[in-house]
Amino acid sequence: MRVLGLETSCDDTGVAVFDSEHGLLAHKLYSQSQMHAEYGGVVPELASRDHIRKLLPLVREVLAEAAIAPSLARGPRLDPIGDAGTASGEIDGVAYTMGPGLAGALLVGASIGRSLAYAWGIPAVGVHHMEGHLLAPMLEPDAPAFPFLALLVSGGHTLLTDVRAVGDYRLLGESVDDAVGEAFDKTAKLLGLGYPGGPAIAAAAAHGTPGRFRFPRPMTDRPGLDFSFSGLKTAALTAAQQHMLDARTIGDIAFAFQEAAIDTLVIKCARALEQTGHTRLVIAGGVGANSLLRARLRELGGNSNVHVHYPRPAFCTDNGAMIAYAGSLRLRAGVEEGMAFSARARWNLMDLTTP
Ligand code: KG4
Ligand code: ZN
């Protein structure tokens, strides 16, 4: 089954074609981050408008790259995107991110995805964005087998989840305040490092002096698997207010912040592995692209005989491939939306069920 996947939940327009027999055929991403950088964060209305501008051209490019001309034979004779390619082949289903995310941005992907599926006479399915992230490591050669422990770390979520099967997720811990990616973004902003904050903090930290600042590892001194990152952000703010913010101090604060945030995640992963007895750990979501986190968790895995899986950095951050893949699993199981489409700005991952 060949599935076209559309991701528009935030500030990245992602499109991909996944084939259940041949794997990923094509994927492309258009990042709006430069546009939002001017405002220091994502401006929802601008994000929606830009998805409208970019989504169909990107679909056209991805279909051409996958050498696919969508078959119109089975559906109403409409061709909403014009001649999309020349080679034979077809798309069997469309998957779009239905939530959680920015309502307007989600609606662009949902309405275009639903419309393409209608025009092509094929089924459409709405995908949970975090399930997409969670299953992204399945696109890699070293795909994890079920069950496993998953650490989901993005701009909106910090979750530790027991994953028994697709759709069978049990929450072990989550952030009680800011998501870890959000803490990276806010700290970068207060240091004047721009948006998105994660890569900016990591780059500044590379020039930081170890030991000049030390920030707390929140909630690691008590039992449990929940996280809290707002205090860490405040510690960085206090340090920034008490010192002249020259390049050296910015690097030093970024270094201490990154160390504390990553340490906290690693400590909780170690604890969750111990509690659950899992021998496989999956890391996914934008913060999963952080090289310090990847290195530290690899080290943890090496020391405890746990196989650590993560997607390539481009599939840690938002992308269409993970949506095409997650959608293909549900479409193959016969799940599909009706003719109406909707978006869910808030949607709990634990509410999903096995297709
Ligand atoms: O998964 P994602 O692309 O979008 C959401 O679903 O939120 O995650 C974006 C988040 C942002 O907070 C960004 O700053 C963070 O992931 N991020 C990173 C890195 N790359 C992206 N955080 C730390 N280190 C990175 N290298
Ligand atoms: Zn995401």
Side-chain angles (χ1 to χ4, degrees):
M1 172 181 251
R2 276 184 186 168
V3 175
L4 174 70
L6 311 178
E7 157 60 35
T8 65
S9 68
C10 190
D11 60 343
D12 289 311
T13 316
V15 178
V17 175
F18 178 81
D19 183 314
S20 13
E21 247 177 76
H22 301 104
L24 197 60
L25 299 185
H27 66 95
K28 279 188 186 288
L29 185 87
Y30 173 78
S31 168
Q32 305 176 352
S33 60
Q34 252 192 326
M35 177 180 77
H36 297 292
E38 207 180 309
Y39 304 92
V42 178
V43 183
E45 179 59 25
L46 293 184
S48 318
R49 288 190 215 169
D50 215 41
H51 285 308
I52 293 174
R53 274 193 290 269
K54 294 297 181 338
L55 188 54
L56 280 177
L58 213 55
V59 167
R60 228 178 255 127
E61 280 179 38
V62 165
L63 291 180
E65 189 175 305
I68 287 171
S71 163
L72 304 177
R74 284 172 297 160
R77 292 200 61 82
L78 299 171
D79 186 0
I81 62 166
D83 180 19
T86 49
S88 63
E90 58 187 39
I91 295 287
D92 303 301
V94 178
Y96 54 85
T97 306
M98 190 156 80
L102 303 171
L106 289 166
L107 278 171
V108 177
S111 56
I112 291 181
R114 184 54 265 185
S115 306
L116 288 175
Y118 175 73
W120 295 336
I122 56 178
V125 70
V127 171
H128 193 293
H129 181 78
M130 297 312 291
E131 179 170 72
H133 276 305
L134 180 69
L135 298 175
M138 302 295 183
L139 291 163
E140 303 301 348
D142 179 30
F146 294 104
F148 53 78
L149 173 72
L151 173 70
L152 292 177
V153 277
S154 70
H157 294 80
T158 309
L159 300 172
L160 265 169
T161 311
D162 191 344
V163 178
R164 313 274 175 84
V166 174
D168 188 353
Y169 311 129
R170 208 162 49 96
L171 182 68
L172 300 173
E174 65 184 327
S175 179
V176 297
D177 42 52
D178 291 356
V180 61
E182 189 181 353
F184 267 93
D185 292 335
K186 287 179 175 170
T187 303
K189 195 171 179 177
L190 70 89
L191 293 177
L193 289 173
Y195 173 85
I201 292 265
H207 308 288
T209 321
R212 176 157 171 226
F213 295 99
R214 186 179 162 85
F215 298 143
R217 275 68 174 150
M219 292 179 77
T220 52
D221 54 352
R222 62 182 105 157
L225 296 170
D226 283 340
F227 303 88
S228 162
F229 288 102
S230 75
L232 177 55
K233 174 199 66 197
T234 308
L237 175 64
T238 308
Q241 284 168 340
Q242 287 171 350
H243 295 81
M244 260 278 292
L245 269 191
D246 53 15
R248 189 173 70 90
T249 301
I250 290 172
D252 295 348
I253 294 176
F255 183 94
F257 171 84
Q258 180 174 249
E259 283 286 322
I262 300 306
D263 252 9
T264 305
L265 294 173
V266 174
I267 291 168
K268 294 289 164 108
C269 280
R271 198 178 282 177
L273 286 167
E274 208 177 286
Q275 281 182 16
T276 58
H278 276 303
T279 54
R280 283 176 290 270
L281 169 64
V282 160
I283 308 147
V287 183
N290 185 279
S291 8
L292 183 66
L293 176 66
R294 294 163 86 93
R296 290 274 166 85
L297 286 176
R298 206 181 299 125
E299 205 178 295
L300 170 73
N303 294 339
S304 50
N305 254 337
V306 168
H307 198 129
V308 182
H309 302 260
Y310 25 66
R312 70 195 84 168
F315 289 172
C316 280
T317 45
D318 290 348
N319 64 87
M322 66 185 195
I323 302 304
Y325 177 74
S328 77
L329 299 183
R330 292 191 174 267
L331 285 165
R332 280 174 74 190
V335 180
E336 61 175 284
E337 312 300 331
M339 279 300 166
F341 63 87
S342 61
R344 301 177 68 172
R346 288 172 162 273
W347 187 6
N348 190 335
L349 178 68
M350 308 306 142
D351 290 344
L352 294 185
T353 52
T354 301

